[in-house]
Amino acid sequence: MAVTEFLLFILTATLGGMFLCGANDLTTIFVSLECLSLCSYLLSGYTKRDVRSNEAIMKYLLMGGTSSSILAYGLSWLYGLSGGEIELQEIANGLINTQMYNSPGIWIALLSITTCGKKTVIPTWAKTSLLPKIQLNSIKVKQKKGGGIPLFDSNSPTPVVAFISVISKVAASALATRIFDIIFYFSLNEWHLLLEILAILSMILGNLIAITQTSIKRMLAYSSIGQIGYILIGIIDRDSNNGYASMITYMLLYIFMNLGTFACIVLFSLRTGTDNIQDYAGLYMKDPFSALSLSLCLLSLGGIPPLAGFFGKLYLFWCGWQAGSYLLVSIGLFMSVISIYYYLKIIKLLMTERNKEITPYVQNYRLSSSISKNSIEFSMIVCVMASTLLGIVMNPIVAIAQDTLF
C-alpha cells in the first residue's frame, strides 16, 4: 500500500474518532463508528504480502461485521421505544413520555450496546463499540505450536496497533459517558453493575495474561486491557467534577505513555526485526537513549512515582474511593502492583550486562540516522517528557477536564 493511501486511512479514522467524540444522535454515532472501523480494517491489513496481516484483517472484518449488526439492533430499540427520536436527549425525553424507560426493551438495548457492539473501545484486536474490550481480547486463537495470541493485535502492523489503541479508547470513553448519562440515566444501577463486572474482569485477566507473554507487543495488548479497566472506574464514578475528570486526565497521560512505548518498540523492530521480549536483553549497552525511554514509559504505565502515570492513577483511584467504589479501587491497586512486575522484568533485561543473555539481535544492533527513524526518536522524546513531567502540572489539566466534558 502506498504511503498516500496509508495516510488517507489514518486521517479518515481520526476524523471518524473526532466526530464520534461529539456525536449527539444515533445516525452520527453509527456512521462515525463505521468510518473509524472500516479504516481500522484497512490499516490492519495494509501490508498485503504479510500472511499474518491478512489473517488479522479477516478476523477483524468478520467480527466487526457481526458486532455492527448487533449494535444497530440495540440502537433500533432506542429509536422505537422513544417514539422515533434519534437525538440522545430527545430519546431520553421520549422514553419518559412513552413510559418505556423501565421496559425490557431498554435492557436489551443496554446489553446490545455494551456487550456486543465492539466498535471503539477494543482498539486493534477487535471491532469496537462502547465498552467491553475484555470479551474479545480474552478469547484466544490457537497457533499451530499450541500457543495463544490475541485475536488481532499481534498480527497487525505495530504503528497501526499504536494508533488505533489510542484513538479507539478516547472516542469510546467520550461516547460512553454521553450514552450512559443521557439515555440510560434511569438504568443507573444496572449499567453500573455491568461496567463494574467488565472493569474487574478487564483488570484481572488483562494483567495476569500479560505476565505470560513472550512478545512485547502482545504483552502491551493485554496490559491495555487492564488499562481500560482503570478507565472504567472513572466512568462508573460518573461525577463530572471528579469521576469523568479523572478519566479524562488519566486518558491524556495514557496516550503519551502508550505512544512512547510503541515508538520504542517500532524503532527496535526496524533495527532488529523482532519483538520478542528476551531479544531486548542488553539494549542499554548499544542504545542507552532507546533503553531509557522505554524504561521511563513502562515505569509510568506501571504507576511508579514521581512519573505522570503515578499521579494519574492516584487521582483516578482517589476519586473512585471518594465515590464509594472500594472494591474496584482495591482490585485496581493490587493489579497495578502486578503490572509493575512484568514491566520491571523488561527493564531488567534492558539493563543487563551479562553477555550470555544478550541475543544476536542486540549484538548486531546498529544505530541509524535516516529521516524516518529520526522522526520516531523525536516522537519518543516528546512522549517521554510528557510521561515524566505532566504529573507535575496535574491541577491545570484537571481543571480543564472538569470544564470541558459537560
Side-chain angles (χ1 to χ4, degrees), residues 138-170:
S138 60
I139 300 173
K140 290 185 178 181
V141 179
K142 296 300 179 180
Q143 294 175 304
K144 293 181 180 180
K145 296 182 179 179
I149 62 173
L151 282 177
F152 307 114
D153 71 298
S154 61
N155 291 341
S156 301
T158 306
V160 175
V161 176
F163 171 75
I164 309 179
S165 68
V166 169
I167 190 174
S168 57
K169 285 188 181 69
V170 174

Side-chain angles (χ1 to χ4, degrees), residues 293-354:
S293 299
L294 180 56
S295 299
L296 287 173
C297 289
L298 290 175
L299 289 174
S300 191
L301 280 172
I304 299 296
L307 302 178
F310 167 76
F311 293 102
K313 283 187 178 179
L314 179 64
Y315 181 50
L316 185 69
F317 291 154
W318 179 81
C319 292
W321 191 270
Q322 292 290 105
S325 302
Y326 305 121
L327 178 61
L328 289 178
V329 173
S330 300
I331 294 176
L333 288 171
F334 179 74
M335 299 317 299
S336 294
V337 175
I338 297 295
S339 69
I340 293 173
Y341 164 75
Y342 55 79
Y343 291 139
L344 288 179
K345 182 174 67 174
I346 298 175
I347 296 173
K348 178 184 176 182
L349 284 173
L350 293 173
M351 304 302 172
T352 186
E353 298 180 358
R354 300 176 182 176

Side-chain angles (χ1 to χ4, degrees), residues 28-41:
T28 306
I29 289 173
F30 191 79
V31 172
S32 301
L33 287 171
E34 289 304 308
C35 180
L36 174 59
S37 298
L38 290 174
C39 291
S40 301
Y41 302 153

Side-chain angles (χ1 to χ4, degrees), residues 268 272 279-283 286 358-365:
F268 183 82
T272 63
D279 294 331
Y280 281 76
L283 180 61
K286 291 284 187 174
I358 300 177
T359 63
Y361 293 101
V362 172
Q363 292 175 354
N364 300 325
Y365 189 89

